[in-house]
């Protein structure tokens, strides 16, 4: 795997200045960043000719709705610009539920078909409470490009409507499971630890020019 240098981390208060000077391939932020700083990340990505992968880590349930709160910022970004900049979100199951509730309250999930029946393969692999996360992620896949849902001991789910995820299985012969649900929503269940999976997935997404 090609190694890349870390340009800036979340402890950098001059993060926006770093973004102006550098062209990182991945911009990863979390819910501790202020709404105004996140909005400037949006403006920055639109003003440059390169297209970084934006990753949003919710951090906690109260902060998980931060991306939706950007709609209330003075610059009034559209949801289209937000979801095209922050390509990947990485919630756990409670954060996912909070994001789903906020999206519903903002009427971003209107006119969706009813959530489909659970894929039999997923149903046989996941606990009932985890299956609820699949249904929520299926809804959110219509407004978020890629979700990496952290499931603790059950691994992680990657859910996307824009990319076929079957080629992202982490290693040949693994117990990962990929399926396509109605409305073209692709689901990949990773049995490995999510903290090991994310760097590899970012690398492969970068190669796929997500």
């Amino acid at each position: 795997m090609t190694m890349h240098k870390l340009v800036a981390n979340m402890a950098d208060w001059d993060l926006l200045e770093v973004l102006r000077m550098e062209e990182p391939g991945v911009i990863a932020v979390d819910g501790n960043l202020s709404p105004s700083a996140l909005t400037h990340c949006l403006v920055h990505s639109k003003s440059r000719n390169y297209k970084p992968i934006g990753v949003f880590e919710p951090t906690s349930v109260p902060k998980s709705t931060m991306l939706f709160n950007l709609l209330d910022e003075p610059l009034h970004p559209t949801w289209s610009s937000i979801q095209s900049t922050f390509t990947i979100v990485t919630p756990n199951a409670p954060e996912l539920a909070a994001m789903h509730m906020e999206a519903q309250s903002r009427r971003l999930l209107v006119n969706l078909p009813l959530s489909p029946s659970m894929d039999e393969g997923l149903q046989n692999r996941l606990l009932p409470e985890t299956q609820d996360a699949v249904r929520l992620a299926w809804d959110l896949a219509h407004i978020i490009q890629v979700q990496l849902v952290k499931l603790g001991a059950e691994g992680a789910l990657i859910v996307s409507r824009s990319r076929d995820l079957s080629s992202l299985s982490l290693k040949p012969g693994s117990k990962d499971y990929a399926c396509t649900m109605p409305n073209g929503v692709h689901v990949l269940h990773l049995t490995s630890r999510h903290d090991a999976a994310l760097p590899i997935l970012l690398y492969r997404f970068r190669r796929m020019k997500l």
Side-chain angles (χ1 to χ4, degrees), residues 88-143:
I88 303 172
V89 299
T90 61
N92 59 25
E95 292 162 353
L96 179 75
M99 294 176 69
H100 187 275
M101 185 177 297
E102 183 68 18
Q104 281 188 316
S105 71
R106 292 179 178 273
R107 299 187 59 79
L108 294 173
L109 298 176
V110 296
N111 300 322
L112 290 185
L114 292 175
S115 296
S117 300
M118 181 62 57
D119 175 84
E120 185 176 352
L122 285 175
Q123 190 170 28
N124 292 335
R125 297 165 63 90
L126 301 175
L127 296 173
E129 55 268 29
T130 307
Q131 294 174 27
D132 290 338
V134 176
R135 296 184 181 94
L136 298 180
W138 183 88
D139 285 350
L140 288 172
H142 295 80
I143 63 168

Side-chain angles (χ1 to χ4, degrees), residues 10 36 55 62 71 75 111 123 132 141 159 163:
M10 290 303 296
S36 60
V55 182
L71 294 169
L75 292 177
N111 300 322
Q123 190 170 28
D132 290 338
V159 183
R163 292 286 177 176

Side-chain angles (χ1 to χ4, degrees), residues 54-93:
V55 182
F56 176 70
E57 161 55 44
T59 308
S60 67
V61 169
K63 296 176 181 178
S64 63
T65 60
M66 184 68 75
L67 290 186
F68 300 103
N69 296 341
L70 296 184
L71 294 169
D72 303 324
E73 285 297 294
L75 292 177
H76 299 295
T78 64
W79 181 253
S80 176
S81 66
I82 294 171
Q83 67 90 22
S84 66
T85 300
F86 297 104
T87 311
I88 303 172
V89 299
T90 61
N92 59 25

